[in-house]
Amino acid sequence: MERFAEKIVQKCIQTNLIEEDQSDWLLYSLQRRFMNIGGFLFLILLGVLIAPFQQVLLLNLGLAFLREKTNGLHMPTKLSCFVFSLICEYSCLTILHQLQANVSVVSIVLLVISTGEIIVLAPCNNAEIHCNSMELQSIKKSVHKRLALYSLLIVIFIILKPILANTLIIAEFAVAVLVALPRLGVGIQ
């Protein structure tokens, strides 16, 4: 996978799609994208061992949708990233299993805390991403737009299928935790 990403980067430089100084950024982005796709599929397969497919899929889609803009915790190695992703997924599915099928006070409290935390702390910046302040401000607006759309989807699911609303709430809670952990010194800084 790494060699394939490196070949793509070299081809982009040769065809003048990117400048030489953008190669590290593109390589990181491609590796992250490939890992996300492969990891996503693997997490779905493992998740369905303990929870219904619909919940596992929605949990992972919710996480991916929000994390694309919020960023958050990045582990130093691919293996630690994968292990942490497994722990995160199983923790979310376990919490989801403990919640009632209907949206409860606990769900609403988790939603309010998560939304507030993401609004205040996201997006995260680190040595691998290294966005400047203007880029961070632009991404922050994107985070707020995604969060608004996500919240609307939660409201729709509260009306139509509350257990799926709980799934989206737990995914948002996980994103909030993943945004907070780097502020506490966990992962790549």
Side-chain angles (χ1 to χ4, degrees):
M1 176 172 47
E2 287 181 37
R3 287 184 188 165
F4 182 63
E6 288 172 4
K7 286 181 182 181
I8 292 172
V9 169
Q10 289 306 314
K11 191 69 169 171
C12 289
I13 292 170
Q14 290 170 356
T15 57
N16 294 321
L17 290 174
I18 64 167
E19 300 290 325
E20 182 80 36
D21 64 343
Q22 295 173 312
S23 64
D24 288 342
W25 172 82
L26 180 58
L27 182 61
Y28 175 77
S29 297
L30 287 172
Q31 288 174 338
R32 194 171 137 226
R33 183 79 58 199
F34 292 151
M35 280 207 44
N36 285 347
I37 292 168
F40 182 82
L41 295 174
F42 196 72
L43 287 171
I44 298 290
L45 290 173
L46 291 178
V48 297
L49 296 175
I50 65 166
F53 175 75
Q54 190 177 30
Q55 286 179 315
V56 174
L57 181 63
L58 192 59
L59 175 73
N60 282 282
L61 287 173
L63 275 161
F65 179 74
L66 290 175
R67 270 198 43 108
E68 185 176 341
K69 295 296 179 185
T70 62
N71 201 5
L73 179 69
H74 287 279
M75 299 304 286
T77 66
K78 292 173 187 162
L79 179 60
S80 61
C81 177
F82 181 72
V83 169
F84 193 85
S85 294
L86 279 175
I87 292 168
C88 182
E89 178 176 63
Y90 278 91
S91 298
C92 288
L93 292 172
T94 300
I95 293 168
L96 187 57
H97 183 71
Q98 299 301 316
L99 291 175
Q100 301 169 358
N102 293 320
V103 176
S104 66
V105 173
V106 172
S107 300
I108 298 301
V109 168
L110 286 176
L111 178 62
V112 169
I113 291 170
S114 300
T115 301
E117 185 179 320
I118 291 170
I119 287 170
V120 171
L121 298 179
C124 293
N125 204 4
N126 67 37
E128 296 289 333
I129 308 280
H130 51 75
C131 295
N132 64 37
S133 61
M134 280 184 42
E135 291 169 326
L136 286 172
Q137 285 301 329
S138 175
I139 296 169
K140 191 169 197 68
K141 290 177 185 175
S142 296
V143 168
H144 294 168
K145 288 177 186 175
R146 280 193 183 220
L147 206 49
L149 180 62
Y150 195 85
S151 296
L152 178 62
L153 192 57
I154 289 173
V155 170
I156 291 169
F157 276 127
I158 287 173
I159 296 165
L160 299 178
K161 196 154 187 182
I163 189 66
L164 294 183
N166 278 338
T167 303
L168 289 175
I169 291 168
I170 294 303
E172 184 177 334
F173 173 71
V175 170
V177 169
L178 295 172
V179 166
L181 286 175
R183 306 279 179 150
L184 300 172
V186 179
I188 296 173
Q189 297 301 302

